[in-house]
Amino acid sequence: MTQATSPDTPFSPDPADHPWWRRGVVYQVYPWSFQDTTGDGIGDIPGILARLDHLAELGVDAVWLSPVYVSPMADFGYDVADYRDVDPRFGTLADLDRLIAALHARGMKLIMDFVPNHTSDRHPWFVESASSRTNPRADWYIWRDPAPDGGPPNNWRSMFGGIGWEWSQPRGQWYYHAFLKEQPDLDWRNPAVVAAMHDVLRFWLARGVDGFRVDVIWHLLKDPAFRDNPPNPDWRPGEPEVRRILQIMTCDQPGILDLVEGFRRVLDEYDDRVLIGELYLTIERLCAYYGDHLDGAHLPFNFHLMMDPWDAETVGGLIEEYERRLPAGAWPNWVLGNHDNPRVASRLGPAQARVAAMFLLTARGTPTLFQGDEIGLPNGVIPPERVRDPQEKNEPGLPGHDRDIARTPMQWDAGPFAGFSTVEPWLPLVPGWETRNVAAQAADPASMLSLHRRLIALRRAHPALAVGSVRVLVAEAGLLAYERRAGDDRVVVMLNLGGALIETRLAEADGGQIVLSARGGRDGEIVGARITLAADDGLVIACD
Ligand code: GLC
């Protein structure tokens, strides 16, 4: 069966007509684990500066940097105590200015993480807010009186386990925290909070950062009546506690788009910046975050490759649903991994991780690549005494719940500590780092790194891949095939998402030339009427 998606888009076939965040590839740097230069076992900004050649050779266009702000690190930087300065663990503001300049000098962009839902409990705003019921910032956070029995005001729970409310003695009230108690939620219904945070954005935009990835953007508003969340009938033991209730009063609330559009208006005061939103939502709901008039997020993150099963029918269906629901003029995006989810190489296995990379980098929409995935880094193995992730500490042992496994250090070479540090790193290296590292893979044309470099180069060389339309050709029985087209440039991608050999006919690829195969060894082959696709293989076929 051949399925069709509309190939028509209103977009120019010439990549030069597109903003950088459409035609480019985003690479997530997790600063704790990229490169240590101070010998404390933790990565830092000078370390990122020292590794820019890697990013240039890979060919990425933008770095999204997870938080480097001043933080007590209860949640590894997602608990910000000063939005306008760099944590000394990572360096100085001057280092960050140097990073912005160095990336720009190489034609790359810097996207900062922006964490507006909550601050650290050590942020001066919260310290002041918690000090009394009458201070100038008394209503900057979500304070509530106790329930009649003296307990928490309602049944809202923390994403990291346990109740979502913490008692504060000086005020004799509870405050809400969607994450740790050290991460009190700001009250985004308070215009003073909105204005203060807009000024934070301007502070960074004026320094030259090219955009923001907004943390948990769908969490910012909560039900103003503080109604209980309903129970989740589908919750099963072994799943995180927070799933016992449905987050319908605490997430994705009416009015949220006004806040998103407010961020966008601030970005639009400057040239050529990008607004990315983090949201774990259905395709239908995430599409709402583009805004009613495309005046919301440029790229509401699409996490469905991490959320949904990896099979041809599902991924093909995802493309079609996404293309159908995208508002006219909205630009799609795809994400395969990040610092909160198990590694793609472990989720899918090393062979399918190559196929998935081929999908990510040939799909229509901006790809976001997580550091380490380009060398096929699998999940780390974290002994219990070395667990750092607060989510894992609060609810140990749930499958896929330990985020440390995706946060282990980059493995650069076969030297001590894989070239990451001169001392034992904050999280252990993945066993086998002596051979699974950037230096070894750079020298091996069949490596995962070489595959990534070639895919990104192809994306750059083919307007069809960078900005073209997409049409799903086949999505069944292990085979996902789609056509990308921009003007005269036409590329067909065939992916075997299963473990069995596929023999098929595909008229759209007939006469095309294979320019890359996931397993290697087929470059230059001209495709005939019958095509054979080995298990776990993928083909990029130039058809122009
Ligand atoms: C986001 C971050 C995650 C963090 C959470 C709370 O999901 O990606 O790492 O723990 O927000 O800020």
Side-chain angles (χ1 to χ4, degrees):
M1 189 190 68
T2 298
Q3 305 173 2
T5 309
S6 164
D8 304 316
T9 78
F11 296 105
S12 162
D14 182 355
D17 294 338
H18 292 255
W20 60 270
W21 50 266
R22 280 198 202 140
R23 53 173 195 263
V25 177
V26 179
Y27 181 93
Q28 180 189 358
V29 168
Y30 190 70
W32 277 80
S33 288
F34 200 60
Q35 175 67 53
D36 175 21
T37 61
T38 55
D40 61 358
I42 297 171
D44 45 56
I45 295 171
I48 304 171
L49 277 158
R51 293 294 186 184
L52 292 186
D53 283 350
H54 173 64
L55 303 182
E57 282 158 18
L58 187 55
V60 298
D61 301 86
V63 168
W64 149 34
L65 181 58
S66 280
V68 291
Y69 309 106
V70 175
S71 169
M73 303 292 173
D75 189 22
F76 293 89
Y78 286 94
D79 48 323
V80 178
D82 182 351
Y83 287 93
R84 295 168 189 245
D85 206 352
V86 168
D87 194 276
R89 289 172 186 82
F90 299 129
T92 63
L93 202 49
D95 292 329
L96 193 57
D97 286 338
R98 271 196 290 282
L99 179 62
I100 296 170
L103 284 168
H104 287 174
R106 289 172 182 253
M108 286 188 263
K109 307 287 186 180
L110 181 66
I111 301 165
M112 294 285 278
D113 216 303
F114 176 54
V115 190
N117 180 67
H118 41 266
T119 68
S120 163
D121 62 346
R122 313 249 190 101
H123 194 293
W125 295 343
F126 185 75
V127 173
E128 184 179 352
S129 190
S131 65
S132 72
R133 293 191 189 201
T134 53
N135 69 76
R137 292 200 170 82
D139 51 2
W140 277 42
Y141 292 82
I142 300 181
W143 294 102
R144 298 291 286 171
D145 289 334
D149 66 357
N154 63 22
N155 76 346
W156 295 355
R157 303 192 72 85
S158 157
M159 297 296 288
F160 291 155
I163 61 167
W165 296 93
E166 183 70 12
W167 178 252
S168 168
Q169 196 45 54
R171 288 186 59 135
Q173 283 183 312
W174 299 83
Y175 66 85
Y176 176 62
H177 56 92
F179 295 89
L180 298 174
K181 66 176 172 21
E182 293 86 357
Q183 295 167 294
D185 280 42
L186 284 159
D187 183 357
W188 276 87
R189 297 186 190 277
N190 181 338
V193 168
V194 176
M197 281 303 208
H198 284 184
D199 281 347
V200 168
L201 294 177
R202 290 190 186 97
F203 173 84
W204 291 106
L205 291 164
R207 286 197 111 79
V209 311
D210 300 284
F212 299 94
R213 168 269 190 192
V214 184
D215 192 59
V216 296
I217 200 167
W218 84 115
H219 273 263
L220 293 182
L221 288 183
K222 290 86 189 174
D223 178 40
F226 291 86
R227 287 170 290 179
D228 276 354
N229 274 319
N232 175 8
D234 297 329
W235 179 83
R236 296 283 169 274
E239 291 184 323
E241 274 232 341
V242 69
R243 299 231 187 97
R244 292 181 92 130
I245 54 171
L246 296 169
Q247 303 284 320
I248 63 172
M249 298 297 168
T250 37
C251 291
D252 197 25
Q253 293 297 294
I256 183 67
L257 274 181
D258 295 341
L259 293 179
V260 179
E261 289 164 11
F263 295 148
R264 174 66 179 275
R265 277 195 299 277
V266 174
L267 266 75
D268 285 348
E269 294 167 15
Y270 303 77
D271 285 344
D272 219 17
R273 314 294 163 109
V274 70
L275 183 65
I276 302 177
E278 185 207 20
L279 12 79
Y280 288 85
L281 289 176
T282 62
I283 296 277
E284 181 181 7
R285 282 308 305 154
L286 79 85
C287 282
Y289 284 72
Y290 286 100
D292 291 336
H293 309 283
L294 296 188
D295 49 357
H298 296 100
L299 302 173
F301 264 153
N302 162 15
F303 288 152
H304 283 267
L305 294 176
M306 299 188 293
M307 296 161 72
D308 298 354
W310 178 252
D311 60 64
E313 288 80 358
T314 305
V315 181
L318 252 177
I319 300 172
E320 297 199 319
E321 185 189 355
Y322 199 22
E323 291 291 328
R324 195 167 62 243
R325 292 197 191 273
L326 278 169
W331 193 254
N333 77 91
W334 298 89
V335 183
L336 208 49
N338 63 25
H339 64 295
D340 294 328
N341 287 283
R343 287 276 183 186
V344 60
S346 296
R347 285 193 333 259
L348 307 182
Q352 277 298 315
R354 296 175 72 96
V355 178
M358 190 168 265
F359 176 79
L360 178 74
L361 294 164
T362 60
R364 183 172 101 88
T366 307
T368 299
L369 184 62
F370 178 42
Q371 79 176 41
D373 283 350
E374 77 275 32
I375 55 169
L377 213 55
N379 289 338
V381 181
I382 317 294
E385 68 280 5
R386 290 194 65 180
V387 168
R388 305 291 301 265
D389 177 18
Q391 174 169 278
E392 173 69 3
K393 287 185 175 176
N394 282 0
E395 289 188 278
L398 301 185
H401 201 56
D402 175 3
R403 300 179 300 175
D404 291 330
I405 60 177
R407 299 176 178 181
T408 65
M410 272 300 278
Q411 304 181 168
W412 295 105
D413 56 43
F417 306 107
F420 167 73
S421 178
T422 52
V423 299
E424 177 64 29
W426 73 289
L427 284 175
L429 297 163
V430 174
W433 57 267
E434 297 87 345
T435 49
R436 192 189 290 103
N437 59 58
V438 171
Q441 293 197 11
D444 173 5
S447 69
M448 186 68 152
L449 179 59
S450 297
L451 178 68
H452 276 82
R453 287 180 177 176
R454 292 191 60 191
L455 281 165
I456 293 173
L458 277 176
R459 198 175 172 90
R460 221 181 261 276
H462 281 276
L465 294 178
V467 298
S469 62
V470 67
R471 185 162 67 105
V472 177
L473 305 172
V474 186
E476 60 181 9
L479 177 62
L480 176 64
Y482 45 94
E483 178 183 66
R484 305 288 318 278
R485 188 195 282 266
D488 295 339
D489 190 32
R490 196 167 69 83
V491 173
V492 169
V493 180
M494 297 182 71
L495 305 176
N496 187 341
L497 273 64
L501 181 92
I502 293 175
E503 283 186 330
T504 190
R505 292 174 184 275
L506 192 66
E508 288 83 352
D510 198 349
Q513 184 172 34
I514 297 174
V515 288
L516 185 60
S517 61
R519 292 179 50 162
R522 297 188 66 174
D523 289 8
E525 199 181 304
I526 303 294
V527 174
R530 293 194 64 77
I531 309 173
T532 304
L533 192 55
D536 304 313
D537 206 357
L539 305 174
V540 181
I541 305 164
C543 298
D544 41 350

